[in-house]
Amino acid sequence: MTVGEAIRAAAEALAPISDTARLDAELLMAHLFGISRSELLLRRMRDPAPPDFASLVERRAGHEPVAYIIGRQEFFGLPLFVTPATLIPRADSETLVEAALALRPHARRVLDLGTGSGALLLAVLANLREAHGVGLDRSAAALVAAQRNIEALGLRPQAAFREGDWHAAGWADDLGSFDLILCNPPYVESDAVLDRQVAEFEPASALFAGPEGLDDYRILIPQLRGLMNTGALAVLEIGANQAASVSALAHAEGFATELRRDLAGRARALLLT
Ligand code: GLN
């Protein structure tokens, strides 16, 4: 069987569980060859299919996300390394990066709370070469991935990661203050029914935040002002139906808020000043 035939068969097999079955199959195949998807499509479609392909397709058919199978996910044009200890960066979250870069192009100190793979922080720092940033996460395993991304992207002079948990007393004592704060906290309601590829594979600690999904905002928002320089901006990711409730938490702390929507028109980022 050729690569092209194997991809076609895999796309059919994956169609019942994936909206992007053909793309999934191409990414898995490109990963096996160690090449980009475009190079695969241009040059390898008539090659014999590698025997290992079937086992990768089988993992995907069991709902495992492609990003975890291949250990990669692109975010804001950056090739990121991801592991099951990190949430897979979503295209929706690029809304936060766009807002941050547009509104604070001269930020010098940047903080990313719940950095995971480092996606938000590294996307911002890669575009603000004068800025320095700190990424904080309570998961040491996530920070291993984040550290690997710093090195691979050559951003070591600009970024540092540290372990910390905003539920613990004194967590922010020696962080200093920032011009820009990014945060994609857990915000899913604890009884929400998620896709199996999310629920069964992504870290629950990065997703769920109590019955209304608001637990982390309730703890974090009152602590933000103490981390912000005069004129600073905080950019929080929110769930599609959380604009009113998170705005109310922010207003209660004296913040002005502005909402940003993602490409699908859903409420996605709340800007606090
Ligand atoms: N956007 C993610 C999802 O829909 C949730 C991310 C989060 O809780 N921070 O699964």
Side-chain angles (χ1 to χ4, degrees), residues 26-223:
E26 289 169 2
L27 289 170
L28 294 174
M29 187 68 88
H31 169 70
L32 277 181
F33 281 105
I35 60 176
S36 69
R37 178 172 159 251
S38 52
E39 194 175 339
L40 175 84
L41 298 175
L42 278 172
R43 303 192 207 290
R44 299 297 187 96
M45 297 303 270
R46 291 173 198 278
D47 284 14
D52 308 347
F53 184 58
S55 69
L56 300 192
V57 173
E58 204 169 302
R59 284 170 65 184
R60 180 71 190 111
H63 300 270
E64 188 170 348
V66 171
Y68 289 154
I69 300 174
I70 69 177
R72 312 287 293 175
Q73 175 66 43
E74 190 167 304
F75 180 75
F76 212 76
L78 302 179
L80 293 180
F81 172 70
V82 296
T83 73
T86 67
L87 201 70
I88 299 166
R90 317 284 205 255
D92 298 332
S93 303
E94 294 181 352
T95 308
L96 279 74
V97 179
E98 273 159 11
L101 293 176
L103 295 169
R104 288 297 181 279
H106 304 298
R108 301 302 289 249
R109 290 204 80 220
V110 184
L111 175 65
D112 182 13
L113 295 170
T115 195
S117 63
L120 292 175
L121 181 69
L122 298 174
V124 165
L125 293 180
N127 289 283
L128 298 183
R129 299 316 295 252
E130 304 285 291
H132 288 80
V134 179
L136 184 109
D137 208 285
R138 66 182 156 190
S139 161
L143 292 178
V144 171
Q147 194 61 43
R148 193 165 152 185
N149 284 320
I150 283 195
E151 307 290 341
L153 297 169
L155 289 168
R156 182 125 81 109
Q158 283 175 265
F161 289 115
R162 48 187 272 177
E163 211 175 315
D165 181 354
W166 53 74
H167 296 87
W171 68 278
D173 282 353
D174 55 356
L175 279 177
S177 56
F178 298 86
D179 307 311
L180 176 62
I181 298 180
L182 308 159
C183 180
N184 178 10
Y187 58 69
V188 177
E189 302 88 337
S190 35
D191 64 353
V193 181
L194 302 177
D195 282 352
R196 286 182 63 183
Q197 63 171 353
V198 178
E200 292 177 22
F201 291 92
E202 295 200 81
S205 60
L207 291 166
F208 297 106
E212 301 155 295
L214 298 174
D215 285 8
D216 286 81
Y217 302 121
R218 286 196 177 107
I219 290 175
L220 267 174
I221 290 174
Q223 302 188 71

Side-chain angles (χ1 to χ4, degrees), residues 187 217 237-243 246 267-268:
Y187 58 69
Y217 302 121
E237 181 158 328
I238 59 171
N241 56 9
Q242 292 174 326
V246 181
R268 182 58 57 196

